[in-house]
Amino acid sequence: MRNLRIVAFVLVACALFLGGCRTAPIQNIELAPIATPNETHLTMKQVKNAIIRGGYDRGWQMSDVAPGHLVATLNIRSHQAIVDITYTPENYSINYKDSTNLKHKGNVIHSNYNAWIKNLANSINLELSRLN
């Protein structure tokens, strides 16, 4: 009976340890190119509006900080992610700014964060493609 308790304790401890390993290195998006066919050029306003629409599609709240700079906030249950988005007519970047309840420590964060950033970039790219 005692051995069974020890085995059960070890299994529970392993499950708790492995369940807490859902962190990964923060993946920023640096200078993602804005591709346009026929070498047409988008304006700063067009790029900004596409980024805002792409963010709203994924539940991000966008704040206009300065020309070429937005701050985006995503709230999911008790979790919050905040990113800086900088942009020009040629490219954009999404960089980690702050978070709440996402196990952020140094350059590591909950793996869901990276999925949210990837989804945000995909939505932005979709909106940018609609401008062409």
Side-chain angles (χ1 to χ4, degrees):
M1 185 68 155
R2 184 170 190 258
N3 287 340
L4 185 59
R5 285 187 197 165
I6 292 172
V7 169
F9 174 78
V10 169
L11 289 174
V12 168
C14 287
L16 289 173
F17 174 75
L18 292 175
C21 291
R22 294 192 47 161
T23 59
I26 293 173
Q27 294 177 356
N28 291 315
I29 295 177
E30 297 290 340
L31 303 174
I34 297 174
T36 57
N38 305 323
E39 297 183 28
T40 58
H41 296 282
L42 300 177
T43 65
M44 288 286 282
K45 185 175 181 175
Q46 287 175 306
V47 173
K48 172 182 152 182
N49 289 339
I51 291 170
I52 290 171
R53 282 192 307 273
Y56 284 151
D57 287 348
R58 293 289 180 169
W60 290 83
Q61 299 169 350
M62 300 286 188
S63 299
D64 193 359
V65 176
H69 184 191
L70 298 166
V71 172
T73 303
L74 180 67
N75 293 298
I76 298 181
R77 296 178 300 281
S78 65
H79 310 288
Q80 182 180 67
I82 304 172
V83 296
D84 277 313
I85 302 175
T86 54
Y87 60 92
T88 69
E90 291 80 31
N91 58 59
Y92 70 90
S93 298
I94 303 172
N95 290 291
Y96 175 85
K97 182 177 176 100
D98 199 7
S99 63
T100 303
N101 293 329
L102 288 176
K103 301 180 182 182
H104 174 251
K105 189 171 187 178
N107 193 36
V108 177
I109 197 161
H110 195 287
S111 57
N112 284 355
Y113 170 85
N114 290 330
W116 298 338
I117 296 306
K118 184 177 180 179
N119 289 338
L120 174 59
N122 289 340
S123 291
I124 290 170
N125 291 338
L126 178 63
E127 290 299 326
L128 288 166
S129 73
R130 291 179 177 163
L131 296 175
N132 301 315

